[in-house]
């Protein structure tokens, strides 16, 4: 007896109700508060009730409206972190993927899914000018970065059999937190992550990189990889990829480019990314700048053998019996994951529905919105920009008045941010640049229009007024 059975008719009814709820939610995004009216106590009360012993049937879905009400809406005025708004067509792909419940380990367990994922990887690589690269979709940029550094370590300092030794990895001071995490997990030792200084545009200084590499070489230290960033998390800076690529080649180091935030902007403005494809590996995040619902990251790499050397290790129970190059393909030979969800379906559906040109146009619109905000900040005497705007992140602050110390300015701007979020009209986040607390708006939201950008400065000024009391 199937105690979990749901008939096709019941499924149609449940799905219909859910889709109606979501369509209503999408219709309200335009005017939604940018942060829900909620609290930790309230979410605990609502969502931590004991699980019933007897099923509630369709009434279980009643609570979904509370889930929606206590979530951060991806409204046109959401500018936090680096997070796309999520394409609803792609979300339908996620629903189909879940109902099909394909396990995207190998072609034999999911023929269509493996083929679509390989096709999406080929499309991404080709569209970014790296047509020979292979790869896979991942849970995000962090896991893509971890797999890339696993490949780097195994190619320069094999450790899979005998264990890891310390090894230097070079990245700028602006590197994303996932790289120190990966360095630690791979046993290279965070003490051996060399943080290279940046210039006034927050880009890695190639001369300083060369010096650090030379110093380690003279001292006889093991050297593994350089990580360049194409779109730093703080300011969207793009490291000088061509020069760094040349340094990596001369030094014989693996070059990984972390393009989780910015790499996909090369679809729209390739001229900003010269040297991108000199990388041995490249991380991308379609759940950031291709508006895919979480999760959808991607790792591309030049040499499949390097991926297999680092990541292939199969049990007999997964042995693939086909010799055919398509039917014999297995992602688990090139990935840390065995069971994998059908992430490619949403991307494939969404690209087919909207067309590639629509995505390039959305990225260009985000770049324009960032320049628009930078201009508006420049025109407000109370505000100042804290970094050049290279892509779509805008870091700025309130000057906090004449004579304010850095510590006072930091406290004042932190209070402004809290107030802005509580007011609920726009949402953005924060970072710290050279010790200065920065308000940070990042545009990777296809729903944003110029009028939404215009709302930011007045909100900051109104919040500042309220903070002063
Ligand atoms: C430059 C960079 N690298 C890596 C990541 C991590 O990506 P994810 O959050 O998808 O793991 C981010 C996330 O913002 C990022 O901006």
């Amino acid at each position: 007896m199937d105690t979990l059975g749901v008939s096709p008719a019941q499924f149609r009814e449940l799905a219909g109700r859910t889709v109606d709820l979501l369509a209503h939610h999408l219709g309200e995004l335009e005017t939604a508060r940018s942060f829900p009216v909620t609290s930790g106590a309230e979410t605990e009360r609502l969502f931590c009730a004991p699980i019933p012993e007897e099923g509630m049937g369709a009434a279980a879905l009643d609570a979904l409206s509370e889930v929606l009400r206590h979530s951060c809406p991806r409204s046109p005025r959401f500018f936090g972190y680096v997070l796309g708004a999520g394409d609803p067509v792609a979300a339908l792909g996620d629903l189909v993927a879940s109902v099909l419940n394909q396990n995207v380990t190998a072609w034999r367990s999911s023929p269509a899914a493996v083929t679509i994922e390989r096709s999406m990887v080929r499309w991404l690589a080709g569209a970014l000018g790296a047509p020979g690269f292979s790869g896979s979709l991942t849970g995000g940029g962090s896991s893509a970065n971890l797999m890339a550094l696993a490949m780097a370590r195994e190619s320069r300092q094999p450790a899979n059999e005998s264990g890891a030794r310390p090894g230097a990895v070079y990245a700028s001071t602006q590197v994303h937190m996932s790289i120190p995490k990966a360095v630690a997990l791979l046993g290279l030792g965070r003490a051996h992550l060399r943080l290279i200084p940046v210039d006034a545009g927050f880009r890695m200084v190639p001369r300083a990189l060369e010096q650090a590499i030379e110093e380690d070489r003279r001292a006889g230290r093991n050297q593994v990889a350089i990580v360049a960033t194409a779109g730093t998390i703080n300011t969207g800076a793009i490291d000088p990829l061509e020069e760094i690529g040349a340094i990596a080649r001369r030094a014989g180091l693996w070059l990984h480019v972390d393009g989780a935030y910015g790499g996909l902007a090369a679809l729209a403005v390739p001229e900003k990314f010269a040297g991108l494809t000199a990388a041995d590996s490249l991380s991308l995040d379609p759940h950031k700048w291709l508006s895919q619902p979480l999760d959808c990251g991607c790792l591309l790499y030049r040499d499949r053998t390097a991926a297999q050397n680092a990541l292939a290790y199969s049990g007999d129970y997964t042995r693939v019996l086909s010799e055919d190059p398509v039917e014999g393909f297995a992602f688990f030979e090139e990935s840390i994951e065995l069971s994998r969800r059908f992430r490619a379906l949403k991307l494939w559906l969404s690209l087919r529905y909207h067309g590639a040109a629509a995505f390039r146009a959305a990225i260009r619109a985000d770049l324009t919105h960032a320049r628009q905000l930078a201009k508006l900040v420049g025109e407000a005497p109370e505000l100042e920009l804290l970094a050049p705007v290279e892509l779509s992140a805008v870091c700025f602050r309130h000057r906090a008045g004449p004579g304010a110390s850095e510590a006072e300015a930091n406290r004042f701007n932190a209070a402004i941010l809290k107030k802005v979020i509580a007011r609920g009209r726009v949402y953005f986040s924060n970072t710290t640049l050279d010790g200065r607390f920065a308000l940070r708006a990042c545009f990777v939201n296809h729903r944003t229009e110029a009028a939404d950008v215009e709302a930011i400065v007045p909100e900051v000024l109104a919040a500042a007024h309220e903070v002063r009391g």
Side-chain angles (χ1 to χ4, degrees), residues 412-448:
F412 187 55
N413 279 281
I416 289 176
L417 180 60
K418 274 192 174 167
K419 195 61 91 181
V420 164
I421 292 169
R423 288 167 59 87
R425 295 192 178 89
V426 300
Y427 188 96
F428 50 76
S429 50
N430 56 287
T431 190
T432 304
L433 296 174
D434 296 330
R436 297 190 285 186
F437 184 96
L439 306 172
R440 177 182 171 286
C442 185
F443 300 91
V444 286
N445 182 342
H446 68 271
R447 299 198 170 110
T448 300

mmCIF file of all heavy atoms in Angstrom, residues 412-448:
data_model
loop_
_atom_site.group_PDB
_atom_site.id
_atom_site.type_symbol
_atom_site.label_atom_id
_atom_site.label_comp_id
_atom_site.label_asym_id
_atom_site.label_seq_id
_atom_site.Cartn_x
_atom_site.Cartn_y
_atom_site.Cartn_z
ATOM 1 N N PHE A 412 26.958 55.644 11.842
ATOM 2 C CA PHE A 412 25.831 56.362 11.247
ATOM 3 C C PHE A 412 25.300 55.611 10.016
ATOM 4 O O PHE A 412 24.092 55.394 9.854
ATOM 5 C CB PHE A 412 26.288 57.777 10.866
ATOM 6 C CG PHE A 412 25.179 58.674 10.397
ATOM 7 C CD1 PHE A 412 24.054 58.890 11.185
ATOM 8 C CD2 PHE A 412 25.259 59.319 9.176
ATOM 9 C CE1 PHE A 412 23.029 59.715 10.760
ATOM 10 C CE2 PHE A 412 24.241 60.146 8.741
ATOM 11 C CZ PHE A 412 23.124 60.345 9.526
ATOM 12 N N ASN A 413 26.214 55.152 9.172
ATOM 13 C CA ASN A 413 25.775 54.458 7.957
ATOM 14 C C ASN A 413 25.162 53.093 8.265
ATOM 15 O O ASN A 413 24.215 52.670 7.594
ATOM 16 C CB ASN A 413 26.932 54.337 6.955
ATOM 17 C CG ASN A 413 27.111 55.628 6.174
ATOM 18 O OD1 ASN A 413 26.369 55.898 5.232
ATOM 19 N ND2 ASN A 413 28.064 56.456 6.606
ATOM 20 N N ALA A 414 25.688 52.413 9.293
ATOM 21 C CA ALA A 414 25.076 51.136 9.694
ATOM 22 C C ALA A 414 23.648 51.388 10.179
ATOM 23 O O ALA A 414 22.719 50.622 9.864
ATOM 24 C CB ALA A 414 25.911 50.456 10.777
ATOM 25 N N ALA A 415 23.463 52.476 10.909
ATOM 26 C CA ALA A 415 22.117 52.803 11.408
ATOM 27 C C ALA A 415 21.201 53.172 10.237
ATOM 28 O O ALA A 415 20.015 52.818 10.221
ATOM 29 C CB ALA A 415 22.202 53.959 12.413
ATOM 30 N N ILE A 416 21.764 53.859 9.248
ATOM 31 C CA ILE A 416 20.954 54.202 8.060
ATOM 32 C C ILE A 416 20.476 52.932 7.372
ATOM 33 O O ILE A 416 19.307 52.806 6.994
ATOM 34 C CB ILE A 416 21.784 55.070 7.071
ATOM 35 C CG1 ILE A 416 22.003 56.468 7.652
ATOM 36 C CG2 ILE A 416 21.111 55.143 5.705
ATOM 37 C CD1 ILE A 416 22.883 57.368 6.794
ATOM 38 N N LEU A 417 21.383 51.978 7.217
ATOM 39 C CA LEU A 417 21.000 50.741 6.514
ATOM 40 C C LEU A 417 19.857 50.030 7.249
ATOM 41 O O LEU A 417 18.877 49.607 6.631
ATOM 42 C CB LEU A 417 22.208 49.808 6.362
ATOM 43 C CG LEU A 417 21.895 48.498 5.644
ATOM 44 C CD1 LEU A 417 21.367 48.755 4.232
ATOM 45 C CD2 LEU A 417 23.109 47.600 5.585
ATOM 46 N N LYS A 418 19.994 49.934 8.570
ATOM 47 C CA LYS A 418 18.921 49.281 9.343
ATOM 48 C C LYS A 418 17.597 49.998 9.117
ATOM 49 O O LYS A 418 16.550 49.382 8.960
ATOM 50 C CB LYS A 418 19.258 49.337 10.837
ATOM 51 C CG LYS A 418 20.125 48.204 11.310
ATOM 52 C CD LYS A 418 20.122 48.208 12.809
ATOM 53 C CE LYS A 418 20.846 47.022 13.366
ATOM 54 N NZ LYS A 418 21.119 47.164 14.774
ATOM 55 N N LYS A 419 17.669 51.308 9.138
ATOM 56 C CA LYS A 419 16.453 52.120 8.978
ATOM 57 C C LYS A 419 15.868 51.941 7.573
ATOM 58 O O LYS A 419 14.648 51.800 7.411
ATOM 59 C CB LYS A 419 16.839 53.578 9.248
ATOM 60 C CG LYS A 419 15.719 54.534 9.471
ATOM 61 C CD LYS A 419 14.848 54.209 10.655
ATOM 62 C CE LYS A 419 15.288 54.859 11.943
ATOM 63 N NZ LYS A 419 14.414 54.490 13.076
ATOM 64 N N VAL A 420 16.732 51.935 6.551
ATOM 65 C CA VAL A 420 16.254 51.757 5.173
ATOM 66 C C VAL A 420 15.488 50.439 5.066
ATOM 67 O O VAL A 420 14.399 50.375 4.486
ATOM 68 C CB VAL A 420 17.448 51.765 4.172
ATOM 69 C CG1 VAL A 420 17.028 51.207 2.815
ATOM 70 C CG2 VAL A 420 18.001 53.176 4.013
ATOM 71 N N ILE A 421 16.054 49.395 5.667
ATOM 72 C CA ILE A 421 15.406 48.078 5.564
ATOM 73 C C ILE A 421 14.077 48.089 6.325
ATOM 74 O O ILE A 421 13.067 47.581 5.835
ATOM 75 C CB ILE A 421 16.367 46.970 6.047
ATOM 76 C CG1 ILE A 421 17.519 46.862 5.032
ATOM 77 C CG2 ILE A 421 15.654 45.628 6.188
ATOM 78 C CD1 ILE A 421 18.674 46.016 5.468
ATOM 79 N N ALA A 422 14.076 48.731 7.488
ATOM 80 C CA ALA A 422 12.834 48.783 8.266
ATOM 81 C C ALA A 422 11.750 49.593 7.536
ATOM 82 O O ALA A 422 10.565 49.268 7.632
ATOM 83 C CB ALA A 422 13.114 49.399 9.635
ATOM 84 N N ARG A 423 12.159 50.632 6.800
ATOM 85 C CA ARG A 423 11.173 51.434 6.066
ATOM 86 C C ARG A 423 10.515 50.606 4.951
ATOM 87 O O ARG A 423 9.391 50.889 4.540
ATOM 88 C CB ARG A 423 11.833 52.690 5.482
ATOM 89 C CG ARG A 423 12.182 53.732 6.553
ATOM 90 C CD ARG A 423 13.104 54.815 5.990
ATOM 91 N NE ARG A 423 12.530 55.514 4.865
ATOM 92 C CZ ARG A 423 11.731 56.590 4.941
ATOM 93 N NH1 ARG A 423 11.446 57.093 6.129
ATOM 94 N NH2 ARG A 423 11.237 57.143 3.848
ATOM 95 N N GLY A 424 11.254 49.613 4.423
ATOM 96 C CA GLY A 424 10.646 48.630 3.530
ATOM 97 C C GLY A 424 10.382 49.082 2.098
ATOM 98 O O GLY A 424 9.619 48.441 1.383
ATOM 99 N N ARG A 425 11.030 50.170 1.681
ATOM 100 C CA ARG A 425 10.772 50.613 0.294
ATOM 101 C C ARG A 425 11.822 50.110 -0.680
ATOM 102 O O ARG A 425 11.516 49.836 -1.843
ATOM 103 C CB ARG A 425 10.687 52.138 0.243
ATOM 104 C CG ARG A 425 9.498 52.653 1.039
ATOM 105 C CD ARG A 425 9.240 54.127 0.762
ATOM 106 N NE ARG A 425 8.074 54.577 1.497
ATOM 107 C CZ ARG A 425 8.115 55.059 2.743
ATOM 108 N NH1 ARG A 425 9.272 55.157 3.374
ATOM 109 N NH2 ARG A 425 7.017 55.446 3.351
ATOM 110 N N VAL A 426 13.067 50.024 -0.227
ATOM 111 C CA VAL A 426 14.134 49.441 -1.058
ATOM 112 C C VAL A 426 14.949 48.506 -0.163
ATOM 113 O O VAL A 426 14.902 48.629 1.066
ATOM 114 C CB VAL A 426 15.081 50.521 -1.665
ATOM 115 C CG1 VAL A 426 14.339 51.492 -2.545
ATOM 116 C CG2 VAL A 426 15.846 51.263 -0.571
ATOM 117 N N TYR A 427 15.668 47.582 -0.783
ATOM 118 C CA TYR A 427 16.523 46.690 0.008
ATOM 119 C C TYR A 427 17.895 46.642 -0.627
ATOM 120 O O TYR A 427 18.034 46.379 -1.823
ATOM 121 C CB TYR A 427 15.948 45.267 0.048
ATOM 122 C CG TYR A 427 16.711 44.367 1.009
ATOM 123 C CD1 TYR A 427 16.262 44.163 2.306
ATOM 124 C CD2 TYR A 427 17.909 43.769 0.625
ATOM 125 C CE1 TYR A 427 16.962 43.371 3.202
ATOM 126 C CE2 TYR A 427 18.633 42.977 1.511
ATOM 127 C CZ TYR A 427 18.149 42.786 2.804
ATOM 128 O OH TYR A 427 18.857 42.010 3.683
ATOM 129 N N PHE A 428 18.924 46.962 0.159
ATOM 130 C CA PHE A 428 20.297 46.706 -0.276
ATOM 131 C C PHE A 428 21.086 46.270 0.922
ATOM 132 O O PHE A 428 20.558 46.172 2.037
ATOM 133 C CB PHE A 428 20.911 47.910 -1.014
ATOM 134 C CG PHE A 428 20.783 49.233 -0.317
ATOM 135 C CD1 PHE A 428 21.591 49.557 0.756
ATOM 136 C CD2 PHE A 428 19.843 50.159 -0.751
ATOM 137 C CE1 PHE A 428 21.469 50.769 1.390
ATOM 138 C CE2 PHE A 428 19.713 51.383 -0.117
ATOM 139 C CZ PHE A 428 20.532 51.693 0.955
ATOM 140 N N SER A 429 22.378 45.946 0.708
ATOM 141 C CA SER A 429 23.156 45.383 1.816
ATOM 142 C C SER A 429 24.386 46.251 2.076
ATOM 143 O O SER A 429 24.379 47.437 1.752
ATOM 144 C CB SER A 429 23.490 43.919 1.541
ATOM 145 O OG SER A 429 24.040 43.750 0.259
ATOM 146 N N ASN A 430 25.391 45.706 2.663
ATOM 147 C CA ASN A 430 26.530 46.500 3.124
ATOM 148 C C ASN A 430 27.833 45.748 2.887
ATOM 149 O O ASN A 430 27.834 44.538 2.683
ATOM 150 C CB ASN A 430 26.386 46.779 4.626
ATOM 151 C CG ASN A 430 26.237 45.499 5.413
ATOM 152 O OD1 ASN A 430 25.182 44.854 5.368
ATOM 153 N ND2 ASN A 430 27.276 45.107 6.107
ATOM 154 N N THR A 431 28.930 46.482 2.938
ATOM 155 C CA THR A 431 30.239 45.851 3.005
ATOM 156 C C THR A 431 31.183 46.850 3.684
ATOM 157 O O THR A 431 30.747 47.917 4.117
ATOM 158 C CB THR A 431 30.752 45.417 1.615
ATOM 159 O OG1 THR A 431 31.920 44.611 1.806
ATOM 160 C CG2 THR A 431 31.101 46.594 0.717
ATOM 161 N N THR A 432 32.452 46.468 3.783
ATOM 162 C CA THR A 432 33.427 47.390 4.363
ATOM 163 C C THR A 432 34.560 47.541 3.360
ATOM 164 O O THR A 432 35.090 46.546 2.860
ATOM 165 C CB THR A 432 33.967 46.828 5.696
ATOM 166 O OG1 THR A 432 32.847 46.583 6.552
ATOM 167 C CG2 THR A 432 34.898 47.812 6.379
ATOM 168 N N LEU A 433 34.909 48.788 3.063
ATOM 169 C CA LEU A 433 35.998 49.054 2.117
ATOM 170 C C LEU A 433 37.035 49.922 2.807
ATOM 171 O O LEU A 433 36.706 51.031 3.248
ATOM 172 C CB LEU A 433 35.463 49.793 0.884
ATOM 173 C CG LEU A 433 34.455 49.037 0.009
ATOM 174 C CD1 LEU A 433 33.910 49.944 -1.084
ATOM 175 C CD2 LEU A 433 35.092 47.789 -0.583
ATOM 176 N N ASP A 434 38.251 49.426 2.900
ATOM 177 C CA ASP A 434 39.324 50.165 3.583
ATOM 178 C C ASP A 434 38.852 50.653 4.951
ATOM 179 O O ASP A 434 39.062 51.815 5.309
ATOM 180 C CB ASP A 434 39.793 51.357 2.730
ATOM 181 C CG ASP A 434 40.418 50.900 1.420
ATOM 182 O OD1 ASP A 434 41.001 49.798 1.394
ATOM 183 O OD2 ASP A 434 40.299 51.636 0.426
ATOM 184 N N GLY A 435 38.164 49.819 5.678
ATOM 185 C CA GLY A 435 37.719 50.172 7.029
ATOM 186 C C GLY A 435 36.470 51.034 7.051
ATOM 187 O O GLY A 435 36.002 51.415 8.124
ATOM 188 N N ARG A 436 35.929 51.358 5.871
ATOM 189 C CA ARG A 436 34.742 52.232 5.856
ATOM 190 C C ARG A 436 33.478 51.424 5.566
ATOM 191 O O ARG A 436 33.432 50.651 4.605
ATOM 192 C CB ARG A 436 34.923 53.324 4.795
ATOM 193 C CG ARG A 436 36.111 54.202 5.155
ATOM 194 C CD ARG A 436 36.186 55.419 4.299
ATOM 195 N NE ARG A 436 36.659 55.134 2.961
ATOM 196 C CZ ARG A 436 36.917 56.084 2.060
ATOM 197 N NH1 ARG A 436 36.739 57.362 2.369
ATOM 198 N NH2 ARG A 436 37.335 55.772 0.880
ATOM 199 N N PHE A 437 32.477 51.616 6.408
ATOM 200 C CA PHE A 437 31.194 50.919 6.226
ATOM 201 C C PHE A 437 30.537 51.470 4.955
ATOM 202 O O PHE A 437 30.305 52.668 4.829
ATOM 203 C CB PHE A 437 30.297 51.167 7.432
ATOM 204 C CG PHE A 437 28.997 50.400 7.378
ATOM 205 C CD1 PHE A 437 28.873 49.180 8.036
ATOM 206 C CD2 PHE A 437 27.904 50.888 6.671
ATOM 207 C CE1 PHE A 437 27.676 48.463 7.992
ATOM 208 C CE2 PHE A 437 26.713 50.177 6.613
ATOM 209 C CZ PHE A 437 26.601 48.958 7.281
ATOM 210 N N ALA A 438 30.243 50.569 4.024
ATOM 211 C CA ALA A 438 29.661 51.010 2.750
ATOM 212 C C ALA A 438 28.243 50.489 2.601
ATOM 213 O O ALA A 438 27.957 49.329 2.912
ATOM 214 C CB ALA A 438 30.515 50.498 1.594
ATOM 215 N N LEU A 439 27.366 51.352 2.119
ATOM 216 C CA LEU A 439 26.048 50.916 1.650
ATOM 217 C C LEU A 439 26.287 50.361 0.255
ATOM 218 O O LEU A 439 26.997 50.971 -0.544
ATOM 219 C CB LEU A 439 25.089 52.109 1.606
ATOM 220 C CG LEU A 439 24.973 52.885 2.927
ATOM 221 C CD1 LEU A 439 24.162 54.169 2.728
ATOM 222 C CD2 LEU A 439 24.331 52.013 4.005
ATOM 223 N N ARG A 440 25.727 49.186 -0.021
ATOM 224 C CA ARG A 440 26.063 48.517 -1.282
ATOM 225 C C ARG A 440 24.796 48.056 -1.985
ATOM 226 O O ARG A 440 24.065 47.203 -1.479
ATOM 227 C CB ARG A 440 26.975 47.323 -0.999
ATOM 228 C CG ARG A 440 27.339 46.508 -2.205
ATOM 229 C CD ARG A 440 28.199 45.323 -1.777
ATOM 230 N NE ARG A 440 28.410 44.397 -2.860
ATOM 231 C CZ ARG A 440 27.492 43.561 -3.332
ATOM 232 N NH1 ARG A 440 26.285 43.537 -2.813
ATOM 233 N NH2 ARG A 440 27.789 42.752 -4.325
ATOM 234 N N ALA A 441 24.550 48.658 -3.146
ATOM 235 C CA ALA A 441 23.413 48.224 -3.969
ATOM 236 C C ALA A 441 23.978 47.495 -5.175
ATOM 237 O O ALA A 441 24.894 47.994 -5.823
ATOM 238 C CB ALA A 441 22.587 49.425 -4.419
ATOM 239 N N CYS A 442 23.437 46.324 -5.465
ATOM 240 C CA CYS A 442 23.975 45.523 -6.569
ATOM 241 C C CYS A 442 22.820 45.164 -7.504
ATOM 242 O O CYS A 442 21.804 44.628 -7.067
ATOM 243 C CB CYS A 442 24.634 44.270 -5.998
ATOM 244 S SG CYS A 442 25.442 43.289 -7.258
ATOM 245 N N PHE A 443 23.011 45.468 -8.768
ATOM 246 C CA PHE A 443 21.919 45.303 -9.739
ATOM 247 C C PHE A 443 22.126 44.047 -10.580
ATOM 248 O O PHE A 443 22.956 44.012 -11.483
ATOM 249 C CB PHE A 443 21.842 46.538 -10.642
ATOM 250 C CG PHE A 443 21.583 47.802 -9.876
ATOM 251 C CD1 PHE A 443 22.632 48.576 -9.396
ATOM 252 C CD2 PHE A 443 20.285 48.199 -9.577
ATOM 253 C CE1 PHE A 443 22.395 49.718 -8.661
ATOM 254 C CE2 PHE A 443 20.038 49.335 -8.834
ATOM 255 C CZ PHE A 443 21.099 50.099 -8.369
ATOM 256 N N VAL A 444 21.387 43.002 -10.237
ATOM 257 C CA VAL A 444 21.331 41.809 -11.091
ATOM 258 C C VAL A 444 19.862 41.357 -11.153
ATOM 259 O O VAL A 444 19.564 40.179 -11.216
ATOM 260 C CB VAL A 444 22.238 40.659 -10.574
ATOM 261 C CG1 VAL A 444 23.696 40.937 -10.813
ATOM 262 C CG2 VAL A 444 22.008 40.369 -9.094
ATOM 263 N N ASN A 445 18.988 42.350 -11.129
ATOM 264 C CA ASN A 445 17.554 42.088 -10.972
ATOM 265 C C ASN A 445 16.829 42.526 -12.241
ATOM 266 O O ASN A 445 16.748 43.718 -12.532
ATOM 267 C CB ASN A 445 17.078 42.894 -9.742
ATOM 268 C CG ASN A 445 15.612 42.684 -9.424
ATOM 269 O OD1 ASN A 445 14.833 42.224 -10.253
ATOM 270 N ND2 ASN A 445 15.225 43.043 -8.213
ATOM 271 N N HIS A 446 16.293 41.548 -12.973
ATOM 272 C CA HIS A 446 15.676 41.881 -14.258
ATOM 273 C C HIS A 446 14.390 42.688 -14.097
ATOM 274 O O HIS A 446 13.886 43.251 -15.069
ATOM 275 C CB HIS A 446 15.412 40.603 -15.074
ATOM 276 C CG HIS A 446 14.367 39.717 -14.484
ATOM 277 N ND1 HIS A 446 14.647 38.736 -13.559
ATOM 278 C CD2 HIS A 446 13.030 39.660 -14.677
ATOM 279 C CE1 HIS A 446 13.532 38.118 -13.220
ATOM 280 N NE2 HIS A 446 12.545 38.659 -13.870
ATOM 281 N N ARG A 447 13.849 42.750 -12.857
ATOM 282 C CA ARG A 447 12.584 43.474 -12.674
ATOM 283 C C ARG A 447 12.800 44.985 -12.475
ATOM 284 O O ARG A 447 11.865 45.767 -12.562
ATOM 285 C CB ARG A 447 11.835 42.933 -11.455
ATOM 286 C CG ARG A 447 11.484 41.474 -11.603
ATOM 287 C CD ARG A 447 10.398 40.981 -10.669
ATOM 288 N NE ARG A 447 10.018 39.650 -11.089
ATOM 289 C CZ ARG A 447 10.285 38.536 -10.417
ATOM 290 N NH1 ARG A 447 10.880 38.598 -9.244
ATOM 291 N NH2 ARG A 447 9.941 37.360 -10.906
ATOM 292 N N THR A 448 14.041 45.374 -12.169
ATOM 293 C CA THR A 448 14.311 46.779 -11.821
ATOM 294 C C THR A 448 14.164 47.704 -13.027
ATOM 295 O O THR A 448 14.613 47.392 -14.121
ATOM 296 C CB THR A 448 15.741 46.889 -11.256
ATOM 297 O OG1 THR A 448 15.823 46.056 -10.107
ATOM 298 C CG2 THR A 448 16.103 48.315 -10.889
#
